[in-house]
Each structure stands twice: as C-alpha cells, then as structure tokens.
Amino acid sequence: MPCYRCGARQTDPVRGASPWKRGVRQESQVLICPDCQRLHDLDLDACGACGSTALICRLGEVECRSCGAVRMARAREFACSAPPPGLSAEVEAALDRVLGRT
Ligand SMILES: [Zn+2]
Ligand SMILES: [Zn+2]
C-alpha cells in the first residue's frame, strides 16, 4: 500500500520497526510515509475519546490503539437507505389531504 498522500511506495526497513505510520482517514486504513508524517495537515481521523490518530480500521469498526476505544465506522448503507429527497414532502401532502388540512 503506497502513502495515501504522496503515493510513495513503502520500502522494507533495514532493521527494526517500519518508520511508516498507519492511520485511518475517512474511515479507510491508510499508510503515511516518513516524509508526510512531518506535515500537520494529514487530515487523519482521530479517536473521539483521547484524540489520538493511532487508529486501525477493520470490519466496519475503528479501534484506537492508544486507549482501546472502539466505535462503529459510519456504515455506508445508511446513506443508501435514506429516503430520496421529496418523499417527505409527498407524505406531508398526502397527510394534508387525509386530514383535510388543504
Ligand atoms: Zn507520503
Ligand atoms: Zn483513544
């Protein structure tokens, strides 16, 4: 997975832990290269409990690696199942007719 910001490819570290950082951005797991980590406009999702950006995203959940808080990712189905615009106005008009309000 390349750096989400600049597209750089991760190279294997010579030894020890990778300097690349994992984070969650708009509820997708992303990798940030060492160069981009120095920037302050990374726009990563932050934990609602402790404010840490050390999050991991998996199976519809976002887990904080700092404090362990887990929250549900905003499910995309919610957006898809929302009533189409204009429906509530139609229902309102139908109610008006039934109740004789017009
Ligand atoms: Zn980068
Ligand atoms: Zn946290």
Side-chain angles (χ1 to χ4, degrees):
M1 189 155 70
C3 172
Y4 87 87
R5 201 169 184 285
C6 69
R9 293 274 166 186
Q10 186 171 17
T11 53
D12 290 331
V14 178
R15 64 166 67 93
S18 168
W20 285 57
K21 184 178 155 175
R22 290 202 297 171
V24 173
R25 183 171 181 270
Q26 292 170 4
E27 305 194 331
S28 311
Q29 189 78 58
V30 294
L31 273 175
I32 307 107
C33 74
D35 286 343
C36 291
Q37 284 173 39
R38 294 192 214 106
L39 303 171
H40 294 287
D41 61 342
L42 290 173
D43 196 23
L44 294 172
D45 288 3
C47 171
C50 72
S52 169
T53 55
L55 307 178
I56 46 174
C57 186
R58 59 169 188 218
L59 295 175
E61 290 181 341
V62 178
E63 182 181 337
C64 175
R65 291 158 77 200
S66 293
C67 73
V70 177
R71 67 174 171 85
M72 300 301 290
R74 284 187 297 273
R76 298 217 160 80
E77 303 92 80
F78 286 136
C80 297
S81 65
L87 185 65
S88 57
E90 265 174 50
V91 170
E92 192 72 21
L95 273 174
D96 281 348
R97 279 195 297 276
V98 169
L99 299 173
R101 287 193 291 190
T102 45

